[in-house]
Amino acid sequence: MPLREAPVELPALQPSPGQPFGLYVHVPFCFTRCGYCDFNTYTPAELGGVNPDAWLEALGAELELAAARLDGPTVSTVFVGGGTPSLLGGERMVRLLGMVRDHFVLAPDAEITTEANPESAWPDFFSATRTAGYTRVSLGMQSVSPRVLGVLDRIHTPNRSAAAAREALAEGFEHVSLDLIYGTPGESDDDLLRSVDTAVDTGVDHVSAYALVVEEGTALARRVRRGELAAPDDDVLAHRYELVDARLSGAGMSWYEVSNWSRPGGECRHNLGYWNGGQWWGAGPGAHGYVGATRWWNVKHPNAYAELLADGTLPVSGFERLDGDALHTEEVLLKTRLRQGLPLDRLGDAERQRAQTAVADGLLASEGERLVLTPRGRLLADGVVRTLLG
């Protein structure tokens, strides 16, 4: 049992008018820990007695306290992430959404997303969640190559992801996404292209593709440090990104954020809310929220989370108030990554001059009053942002 954490009192929160409001729910459970993952997740052996039902009860208490702190914003998107939400099973996922509706007003066209892992999401899970009102499912595919899945410590079989995507579509989900990882040690161009083609062939309307990042403290980082695996190579990652983009674009999926492609109407509205400066309440262990100019984060361990809520206390571990400079930096960082681009009028004079240099270097293109990353600029998006901000 972890030492009890002292909670932090949040300041008054007032959602900014005219901005979308979302709700993020963090499910901290995973059956096993993938070697590359540094998310706030816990396997059964690590939990020391916290079970999904106790977590769900604590979550309901947080949602009740959250609703009392806010001035009744209408929720336009809900995103249940993790961790592995599908480990909860369909019945608990139905209860979870019911608790959200008990405490918040959902927009009539609310987008309600759940993440799922292929090995724990089956037709009965998709049927239950779709009937309950979930509108979108995001499946962790990563790869169809057995050797790539092995390096990543994924436990699903190569064909299960595609089968799960088809099952979700058959159960009535209009929006289904598959997540890929590229640049894993030992991966070939062929491995990646087979994974992309498999994703496209399922008929999903959204694909995310992320370069493998070796995060400190993970099993993957330890293997790289010991020399068992090679670190991802930047040139290889750039080449693989170009392969992904060409294949998805050829299949009718357009990029709308550097790592995300969709068919028309398939964009993830919840994530667009993040990238466009929207606001959200983050519920669950380790979840982050952002309202007005305040960002906060919850205590991480499910035991500490449940203990605080049992006492009627919000499980907040810390918060920060963002000043004008910090808000500007985030706007440039996030909107530059979007296909709609960064409005030129959001930049100061010096930043506009630096933007023209980036245009001349072929990293940005001027589209009306917006700056949009070129194909080469997408490969160097972080560097482009640093250039703009000086």
Side-chain angles (χ1 to χ4, degrees), residues 22-29 40 55-56 58-60 62-63 66 75 77-86 88 92-93 95-101 104 106 112-115 134 270 274 280-289 298 305:
L23 178 65
Y24 172 76
V25 176
H26 185 72
V27 180
F29 308 113
N40 186 48
W55 167 83
L56 198 57
L59 176 70
E62 184 184 1
L63 293 175
V75 175
T77 63
V78 179
F79 195 105
V80 184
T84 309
S86 47
L88 295 177
R92 291 192 188 94
M93 290 293 291
R95 287 168 53 197
L96 187 159
L97 186 54
M99 292 190 306
V100 169
R101 290 190 170 115
F104 289 90
L106 299 186
I112 305 172
T113 303
T114 181
E115 292 183 332
Y134 289 84
H270 185 85
Y274 294 151
W280 70 95
W281 187 283
H288 286 58
N298 282 348
Y305 173 79

Side-chain angles (χ1 to χ4, degrees), residues 4 55 57-66 284-285 298-299 302-315:
R4 185 180 179 91
W55 167 83
E57 182 179 351
L59 176 70
E62 184 184 1
L63 293 175
E64 182 176 3
L65 292 172
N298 282 348
V299 298
N303 284 343
Y305 173 79
E307 288 174 0
L308 290 169
L309 284 159
D311 288 343
T313 303
L314 278 173

